[in-house]
């Protein structure tokens, strides 16, 4: 009987590397008249997470002086915002911008009174010091972005209060489009989506 048990134990030890053993396991303490100590392993699993925040609405008030300036052919404005990402030490993410005109049309604002359209161009950047890093269009996914671009640290807060805003969307309306448009207010919405890689 002892020989059979020993053979079974040897067989179990030989097979153990092949069998999947738990990486960690709690242990029980020994029976004692004074104290008994056991152990329990603790594991934390942090999922991939990304968040956009701190966006501000943009308004472009066109003036005759600006639109007739010989130095500029486009009127521009931008909105800086915060991207939090815990993907790697550099906080990687992708970015996509869509407009209310739909993915098959160019970016365009609409005059609610006349339903007239006013086209505009969009640039995005993961570095607030570079407003024109990537020209984009509806449905385009910009890859390889990092929350550490521009030399700042990866945010450790959801609102970038520790490092400051780290991304931007920049819009521009060509003066030719402005001059061709009828007077009025043109509105639209940009949807900016940041995603884990």
């Amino acid at each position: 009987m002892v020989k059979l048990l020993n053979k079974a134990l040897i067989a179990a030890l030989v097979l153990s590397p092949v069998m999947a053993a738990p990486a960690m396991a709690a242990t029980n303490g020994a029976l004692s008249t004074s104290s008994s100590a056991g152990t329990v392993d603790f594991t934390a699993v942090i999922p991939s997470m990304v968040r956009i925040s701190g966006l501000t609405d943009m308004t472009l008030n066109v003036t005759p002086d600006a639109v007739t300036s010989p130095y500029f052919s486009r009127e521009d404005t931008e909105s800086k915002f915060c991207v939090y990402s815990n993907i790697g030490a550099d906080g990687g993410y992708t970015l996509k911008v869509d407009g209310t005109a739909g993915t098959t049309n160019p970016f365009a604002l609409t005059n609610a009174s006349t339903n007239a359209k006013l086209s505009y161009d969009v640039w995005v950047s993961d570095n607030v010091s570079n407003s024109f890093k990537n020209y984009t269009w509806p449905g385009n996914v910009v890859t390889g972005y990092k929350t550490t671009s521009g030399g700042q640290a990866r945010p450790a807060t959801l609102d970038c209060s520790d490092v400051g805003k780290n991304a931007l969307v920049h819009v521009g309306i060509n003066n030719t489009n402005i001059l061709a448009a009828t007077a009025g207010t043109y509105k639209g919405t940009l949807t900016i989506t940041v995603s884990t890689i």
Side-chain angles (χ1 to χ4, degrees), residues 6 11 31 37 45 52 54 59 78 80 83 103 116 127 145 153 163 165 174-175 195:
N6 284 341
L31 180 64
V45 180
I52 186 172
T59 299
E78 64 186 25
K80 296 177 182 178
V83 176
T103 57
N127 178 355
Y145 270 18
V163 297
K165 293 182 177 182
N174 289 330
N175 287 344
S195 305

Side-chain angles (χ1 to χ4, degrees), residues 64-103:
D65 287 344
V67 83
T68 57
S69 169
Y71 305 106
F72 303 102
S73 61
R74 186 184 63 236
E75 306 308 307
D76 298 273
T77 187
E78 64 186 25
S79 177
K80 296 177 182 178
F81 55 91
C82 165
V83 176
Y84 168 86
S85 170
N86 68 348
I87 311 302
D90 55 9
Y93 64 97
T94 64
L95 188 147
K96 180 168 71 84
V97 181
D98 291 305
T100 49
T103 57

Side-chain angles (χ1 to χ4, degrees), residues 89-179:
D90 55 9
Y93 64 97
T94 64
L95 188 147
K96 180 168 71 84
V97 181
D98 291 305
T100 49
T103 57
T104 59
N105 299 313
F107 288 114
L109 303 173
T110 303
N111 183 321
S113 301
T114 64
N115 205 35
K117 305 293 184 187
L118 180 61
S119 295
Y120 59 95
D121 296 307
V122 176
W123 293 261
V124 291
S125 180
D126 59 350
N127 178 355
V128 293
S129 298
N130 183 358
S131 296
F132 301 97
K133 183 171 183 178
N134 291 106
Y135 179 81
T136 192
W137 55 93
N140 179 49
V141 177
V142 182
T143 61
Y145 270 18
K146 303 173 182 178
T147 60
T148 55
S149 290
Q152 62 187 18
R154 184 178 70 83
T157 59
L158 289 178
D159 61 357
C160 295
S161 58
D162 55 335
V163 297
K165 293 182 177 182
N166 55 12
L168 63 81
V169 58
H170 186 104
V171 297
I173 305 176
N174 289 330
N175 287 344
T176 53
N177 292 340
I178 293 171
L179 293 171

Side-chain angles (χ1 to χ4, degrees), residues 1-15:
M1 183 69 171
V2 173
K3 287 183 180 180
L4 287 174
L5 287 175
N6 284 341
K7 286 181 181 177
L9 182 59
I10 291 169
L13 290 173
V14 170
L15 292 174

